[in-house]
Amino acid sequence: MTDIPSTAAPAVLILGPSGLPLARRVQALLPGAVITGPHARLAADDRALVQPLDPVAEGLRGLFLAGRPILGIAAAGALIRMLAPVLADKTAEPPVLALAEDGSAVVPLLGGHHGANDLARQLATALGAVAAVTTAGDLRFGVALDDPPVGWRLAAGLDPKPAMAALVAGASVRVEEDLPDWLAPLPQAADGSVPLVIDHRLREVPAGGLLYHPARLAVGIGCERGAGAEEIGGLIDETLAGAGLAPGAVALIATIDIKADEAGIAAAAAARGLPVRVFPAARLAEETPRLATPSDYVRATVGVAGVAEAAALAAAGPAGELIVAKRKSPRATCAVALAPAPIMAGGVGRAPGMLYVVGIGPGRPDWRTPEVDRMVAEATDLVGYGLYLDLLGPAAAGKRRHGYELGEEERRVAAALDLAAEGRSVALVCSGDAGIYAMAALVYELIERGEDLGEPRPGWAHVPVQVSPGISALQAAAARAGAPLGHDFCTISLSDLMTPFTVIERRIRAAAAGDFVVAFYNPVSRRRRHQLARAREILIEARGGATPVILARNLGRPDETVTITDLDGLAVDAVDMLTLVMVGARGSRRLELGQGSRVYTPRGYGSRGEDSFADAGFGRTGSGEAVA
């Protein structure tokens, strides 16, 4: 069955297990769709398929305010009541649809002219259901006048309701030129009472009429490295206004590919709701004969005689024309080209690409941050260790997966950078936090190196990168065990693959001397056992055998275990490569409570008489006894 396209990741809401079969059918039709709902009534196996939403009403309102399309397998009235407190701006509502649990009906409730009606029809066709569309204009003419198709925009500030009401009541439109296909069903007459104007220029909105802008304009931008969004955006606005061009007729911002990561261009485009498309220098060089203001300086700097004009012309196509020659601000240039028809941005140049480096924590959906969920939803490609991709569960649906084995870290990162450099939106998936013993550092290392297996990769330097944090094993272990990180702490990896053990041992001794709580990552492997034993010896010498130790394994997963012991009782054979070992400081305490053992480290030492012990080279064990 053909996938139904979606510009944002829809949320498919279920209120109980009976809605899950239909939810999974809908998810298969909508790439990136995520099933969500309360977990209380779901079986354990089903919970793995559903992102938790609790409390339901509050969570649903959050999805709505974030602009996520919502498909509720629930009663229409229930959805409306849950969303009622946040219904304020009809023009900004995402699609909200109610689906009958048996799949017999699809009802667009909100956002009918923001995609809900079309989505209802497409789902109904795919499911063999009835689309209960009730919007008058759609029913009468098959046209949503307040939600034109891609490539067309209603003039800013224009309220189409009076014109729509007049047409539904029997009026006709009066036009200046032939209508595009999507408007052709409207009744037309030479003396029609509803004026309908189509123009890429600024025009007065006709009284009681309609004004649409075809997205025929391509804005080309060149700039110095680090030019600000305010300057670039201001130049765009001034250029359009000075030429009498409608901002609503702009299809895209175009530039050279070495500016793909230029934050000022990206921010200026985003502020105006426009996509950015980039072109290689060789393609822009082909436009040299059509440039109005070629520059030898620009040619010497970037290899082409002009960026702004060439990029605008490349985006407008061979039949396009340059209608605004290059204009300058202190650090940027801008030009505008006009295409003969609306420009489909996805069909020209390429996207700048994006590399999201995301930490998914232990893998549980409720331990992932909303930002990570958004980045995964926006990604077209997922790269990572196969297990980590599996842990995404439904969030990975509809994405291109690029799975790698343990030990292939550099291959993973290189693949992610290559995909992003091709213009794809990529999520490099890490467990825990992406910046703690994970892939974020390797991303920047490879970018700096600029080559892969001896092959130059200059494009990597122009890939936009965003790193998003996740819950680390350090944080999860501390939370499960109590509050051992209440004072100063550090982390040390015991793996000697990248760092000689002589260096690791020096760091362990420094941590012992500084009386830090120490979290040991990579404590052992099948071939490597002695490092943890040596760390134990050093720490016993510094802070005593009764110091609390936390062994946390598979945190946040079904087979999670958290064991609290002490340095004397720490057995290397009780630890494997999936275990995080956390050793308390001199002041750390172990409590025996009704819930079990808990460890905490007081927030300050001086206020508890600890300074005198530290000055004398003494500390306290977990039981409060002084030790040398």
Side-chain angles (χ1 to χ4, degrees), residues 390-545:
D390 291 340
L391 289 172
L392 286 172
K399 312 289 184 182
R400 288 186 287 264
R401 290 172 49 121
H402 309 267
Y404 290 83
E405 298 297 326
L406 287 175
E408 295 183 308
E409 287 77 13
E410 193 162 315
R411 300 302 314 134
R412 280 183 238 166
V413 174
L417 285 166
D418 280 341
L419 289 167
E422 293 171 6
R424 301 195 195 181
S425 179
V426 182
L428 178 60
V429 180
C430 311
S431 68
D433 182 280
I436 300 177
Y437 301 121
M439 297 296 99
L442 187 54
V443 167
Y444 291 108
E445 181 181 336
L446 291 192
I447 288 173
E448 182 180 32
R449 190 189 305 169
E451 59 90 22
D452 180 35
L453 299 177
E455 292 292 327
R457 290 289 195 275
W460 286 357
H462 307 297
V463 170
V465 178
Q466 292 184 23
V467 181
S468 186
I471 294 176
S472 67
L474 171 81
Q475 295 168 292
R480 289 295 199 237
L485 304 181
H487 208 286
D488 298 334
F489 62 91
C490 67
T491 67
I492 298 175
S493 171
L494 292 183
S495 172
D496 58 2
L497 288 175
M498 307 295 291
T499 306
F501 189 68
T502 53
V503 175
I504 295 171
E505 183 170 343
R506 188 162 65 243
R507 292 173 179 173
I508 295 169
R509 291 188 177 280
D515 195 26
F516 292 99
V517 174
V518 185
F520 290 111
Y521 280 71
N522 308 307
V524 298
S525 70
R526 284 188 293 270
R527 66 165 186 83
R528 175 177 52 79
R529 316 293 293 178
H530 71 281
Q531 286 95 332
L532 180 59
R534 183 63 184 134
R536 174 180 174 272
E537 293 171 0
I538 294 169
L539 292 172
I540 285 178
E541 179 184 346
R543 57 189 67 166

Side-chain angles (χ1 to χ4, degrees), residues 47-455:
R47 291 179 184 179
L49 304 173
V50 180
Q51 288 195 2
L53 194 70
D54 190 28
V56 177
E58 182 179 333
L60 193 68
R61 289 193 285 269
L63 293 170
F64 181 84
L65 292 173
R68 296 277 295 277
I70 295 170
L71 296 90
I73 302 177
L79 294 174
I80 292 296
R81 282 191 293 273
M82 285 189 281
L83 292 174
V86 293
L87 299 181
D89 184 3
K90 175 183 176 181
T91 63
E93 291 172 351
V96 177
L97 294 81
L99 284 74
E101 197 171 88
D102 63 358
S104 62
V106 184
V107 185
L109 301 176
L110 300 169
H113 288 167
H114 298 136
N117 288 346
D118 287 342
L119 183 55
R121 291 189 182 99
Q122 293 176 69
L123 280 173
T125 299
L127 297 172
V130 174
V133 176
T134 59
T135 312
D138 280 55
L139 291 174
R140 181 74 177 273
F141 307 115
V143 174
L145 295 177
D146 56 353
D147 184 31
V150 175
W152 295 84
R153 297 189 185 97
L154 189 65
L158 191 153
D159 181 3
K161 288 197 292 292
M164 293 167 63
L167 292 171
V168 170
S172 299
V173 297
R174 183 177 70 253
V175 299
E176 299 175 351
E177 57 186 271
D178 291 340
L179 293 180
D181 291 345
W182 70 277
L183 288 172
L186 297 178
Q188 303 175 43
D191 59 350
S193 59
V194 179
L196 194 161
V197 178
I198 294 171
D199 205 327
H200 64 274
R201 296 165 296 183
L202 290 169
R203 293 276 297 266
E204 288 291 329
V205 177
L210 299 165
L211 171 59
Y212 292 99
H213 299 304
R216 295 172 56 194
L217 302 179
V219 173
I221 293 292
C223 69
E224 297 178 10
R225 176 61 76 184
E230 185 174 349
E231 177 182 346
I232 294 171
L235 179 60
I236 292 171
D237 296 341
E238 291 168 10
T239 300
L240 294 173
L245 300 173
V250 178
L252 53 85
I253 304 296
T255 190
I256 192 169
D257 60 2
I258 61 172
K259 296 297 179 181
D261 64 335
E262 198 68 57
I265 293 177
R272 289 154 184 78
L274 296 171
V276 177
R277 306 298 291 184
V278 300
F279 296 86
R283 172 66 185 88
L284 297 189
E286 296 173 5
E287 299 295 341
T288 302
R290 298 206 288 167
L291 302 186
T293 59
S295 165
D296 291 335
Y297 172 78
V298 175
R299 191 196 309 272
T301 304
V302 297
V304 295
V307 172
E309 292 180 356
L313 286 166
E321 60 177 317
L322 189 69
I323 59 172
V324 181
K326 178 174 64 182
R327 293 183 49 147
K328 299 180 181 179
S329 67
R331 303 185 67 195
T333 58
C334 179
V336 184
L338 176 67
I343 302 170
M344 299 296 109
V348 298
R350 69 163 175 84
M354 173 60 71
L355 177 55
Y356 297 122
V357 188
V358 301
I360 64 170
R364 284 173 43 165
D366 54 344
W367 280 19
R368 289 201 301 265
T369 68
E371 181 178 70
V372 166
D373 281 340
R374 174 184 62 79
M375 290 177 171
V376 170
E378 291 178 2
T380 57
D381 294 73
L382 304 176
V383 179
Y385 174 45
L387 172 63
Y388 302 160
L389 301 185
D390 291 340
L391 289 172
L392 286 172
K399 312 289 184 182
R400 288 186 287 264
R401 290 172 49 121
H402 309 267
Y404 290 83
E405 298 297 326
L406 287 175
E408 295 183 308
E409 287 77 13
E410 193 162 315
R411 300 302 314 134
R412 280 183 238 166
V413 174
L417 285 166
D418 280 341
L419 289 167
E422 293 171 6
R424 301 195 195 181
S425 179
V426 182
L428 178 60
V429 180
C430 311
S431 68
D433 182 280
I436 300 177
Y437 301 121
M439 297 296 99
L442 187 54
V443 167
Y444 291 108
E445 181 181 336
L446 291 192
I447 288 173
E448 182 180 32
R449 190 189 305 169
E451 59 90 22
D452 180 35
L453 299 177
E455 292 292 327

Side-chain angles (χ1 to χ4, degrees), residues 8-36:
V12 184
L13 173 69
I14 64 171
L15 299 180
S18 58
L20 188 55
L22 178 60
R24 297 190 68 179
R25 291 176 64 195
V26 171
Q27 184 183 47
L29 295 167
L30 299 172
V34 174
I35 302 173
T36 187

